[in-house]
Amino acid sequence: QRILRLAEMCRRLETEEEKVLPFYPTSLAEGELQDARRVLEETPVEPLAQAMQDYVGLERFWQRFNKAKLEQKVLEQIQAALAKKNQHLRELLQQYLAGVAVSQKVLKDLDPL
């Protein structure tokens, strides 16, 4: 119940895009999608499957949770790539500044005035 209340609270904070297209499109073929719907509509006979019927309301929660985790991983990869690029740019800047300092020193040594 607590998770469902939290999901309702989070719904208010979703962007318009998330409300309209909350999940990625399915990668299942039409036949596979129909098979999945048929299996979901059957009444389960196994105890575990019957217990899972109690948690069907959490399916949307887990979809959102997994989507958030995927986005988090993508952002971590982007952050790592940007940190690597930033380090490279810092090294280039240090090389440039070292070259400018050497050039000024050489000019002072060459200039008798």
Side-chain angles (χ1 to χ4, degrees), residues 42-92:
E42 293 175 358
T43 45
V45 287
E46 299 167 357
L48 179 59
Q50 289 173 348
M52 288 185 61
Q53 288 293 325
D54 296 338
Y55 298 99
V56 170
L58 294 176
E59 183 178 346
R60 301 283 281 177
F61 166 78
W62 286 115
Q63 286 176 335
R64 288 185 179 134
F65 179 82
N66 290 333
K67 180 181 177 190
K69 279 296 193 185
L70 286 173
E71 289 177 356
Q72 178 185 7
K73 292 293 182 188
V74 167
L75 291 174
E76 287 173 358
Q77 290 175 349
I78 290 171
Q79 183 182 19
L82 289 174
K84 185 177 178 181
K85 186 173 183 176
N86 188 24
Q87 183 61 35
H88 178 69
L89 290 173
R90 286 178 187 268
E91 291 170 2
L92 289 176

Side-chain angles (χ1 to χ4, degrees), residues 11 29 36 45 55 101 106-107:
R11 176 82 172 144
V45 287
Y55 298 99
V106 170
L107 285 176

Side-chain angles (χ1 to χ4, degrees), residues 18-30:
E18 289 172 330
K19 288 178 183 176
V20 175
L21 298 170
F23 307 108
Y24 302 113
T26 183
S27 60
L28 296 176
E30 187 61 36

